[in-house]
Structure formats: C-alpha cells, structure tokens
Amino acid sequence: MDRSDFAGIKETVKELFGKSEDAFVNPPFYCDYGKHIEVGKNFFANYNCTLLDVAKIKIGDNCQMAPNVAIYTAGHPVHPVSRNSAYEYGKEVTVGDNVWFGGNTVVCPGVHIGDNVVIGAGSVVTKDIPDWCIAAGNPCRVIRKITEKDRKKLFRDEEIDGEAWQDILERMEF
C-alpha cells in the first residue's frame, strides 16, 4: 500500500487490529497470519514492522515501534534432524502498556515485556523484561529502572526545554 494512502492504511489497520483505537502502521508491514495479533489503543508501528504471529502477540496501550522492529513467535527444533522435518512451533509474546521499541529491535519467541519499558535500538530481546526499565543490547539486558528523575529527560542527559515541556503538559491526560 502506498504510504500516502491514509484512508486505505486506516481501513486495513482497522481490519487487522479491529479492537484497537487509533492504531497506525507505516507500510510496509509484514505478518504471518494477522489473526493472532492484538494491539491496544494508540499503537504505532513505523516502517518495516514484522510481527510473525504463529502464536499470539499481545501488545498493550500506547506502544510505539521505531523502524525495522520485529516480534517473532515462531521457532524450530534445535537438533538438525528434527528441524529438517520443517516442524514449526509458536510461543506467545506479550508486551505491556507504554512500551517504546527502538529501531532494529528483535523480540524472540516466548518473551514477556512489562509496562513502561524502553527497549534500546538494535536490541535482541531473548528474556523477559520487568516493568519500568530501560533495557538494551544483544542480548538485551536491563540497564536501569525508569524513575521520577526521567520525567523531563529528552535524550541522554539533555532535558526538555520550557517551551516543549509546556506543549507536553497541554497534551497529557490527567
């Protein structure tokens, strides 16, 4: 679908993620079946999102995905003789509310990511990530907890300036 076909994108996204309010996906978007994906309100997936939904993928409210994020539920046996049978299994992936995935993140089968999490760009998430964490790396690991001190953080140690902070306050729901 052409990126400028907003009406077509909206219609297709509504068909795919019917339960979601205000979901948006920048094409191209890839999935196996589509019927095993559940996203919450205000879901956003940027270019080249891949959701391999052999098993259920459940994503909470207010989740954002930068370009090239992939969530895989599909796997194959380890031993080559078993694997060569073309057997495929699926392990559910769940993502909590308010999660932001940096670009080129891969989430492996069976992983559960908590609420209010930031996954750094280029991460390969192989294990569960708890609530309120910044996690990154390959393999992805928790770097630190998100605290009240982070409320006005913009980028690294840079803080949000006064004008931008005022704009944020006007947009926030209380």
Side-chain angles (χ1 to χ4, degrees), residues 120-158:
S123 295
V124 178
V125 187
T126 60
K127 295 183 178 169
D128 296 354
I129 305 294
D131 296 347
W132 288 97
C133 287
I134 297 172
N138 181 3
C140 187
R141 63 180 175 74
V142 173
I143 294 171
R144 68 176 178 84
K145 287 290 204 178
I146 297 172
T147 69
E148 190 59 32
K149 292 180 181 178
D150 292 307
R151 187 175 292 269
K152 290 184 80 173
K153 289 281 174 143
L154 183 63
F155 179 75
R156 296 190 178 144
D157 290 330
E158 186 179 339

Side-chain angles (χ1 to χ4, degrees), residues 6 8 18 35 41 61 70 83 103 122 164 169:
F6 296 113
K35 66 183 180 181
K41 67 180 181 181
D61 294 341
R83 188 173 53 251
L169 289 175

Side-chain angles (χ1 to χ4, degrees), residues 8-124:
I9 292 170
K10 186 174 184 172
E11 183 179 315
T12 301
V13 168
K14 186 67 176 168
E15 182 179 328
L16 188 60
F17 306 136
K19 291 171 60 177
S20 179
E21 296 174 34
D22 299 321
F24 189 81
V25 175
N26 271 326
F29 169 80
Y30 305 97
C31 64
D32 270 343
Y33 302 98
K35 66 183 180 181
H36 302 131
I37 302 168
E38 181 181 317
V39 303
K41 67 180 181 181
N42 300 319
F43 172 76
F44 175 78
N46 217 326
Y47 306 105
N48 292 314
C49 178
T50 301
L51 302 180
L52 296 187
D53 63 320
V54 170
K56 179 107 174 158
I57 297 174
K58 185 175 181 183
I59 300 171
D61 294 341
N62 305 307
C63 289
Q64 300 173 335
M65 296 181 173
N68 305 309
V69 169
I71 296 178
Y72 304 145
T73 64
H76 305 277
V78 172
H79 194 280
V81 172
S82 303
R83 188 173 53 251
N84 290 341
S85 72
Y87 179 79
E88 180 180 56
Y89 64 85
K91 295 292 181 186
E92 179 178 282
V93 171
T94 60
V95 177
D97 296 335
N98 309 308
V99 175
W100 173 27
F101 293 95
N104 295 301
T105 293
V106 173
V107 178
C108 292
V111 168
H112 302 277
I113 297 172
D115 295 334
N116 308 304
V117 170
V118 174
I119 304 292
S123 295
V124 178

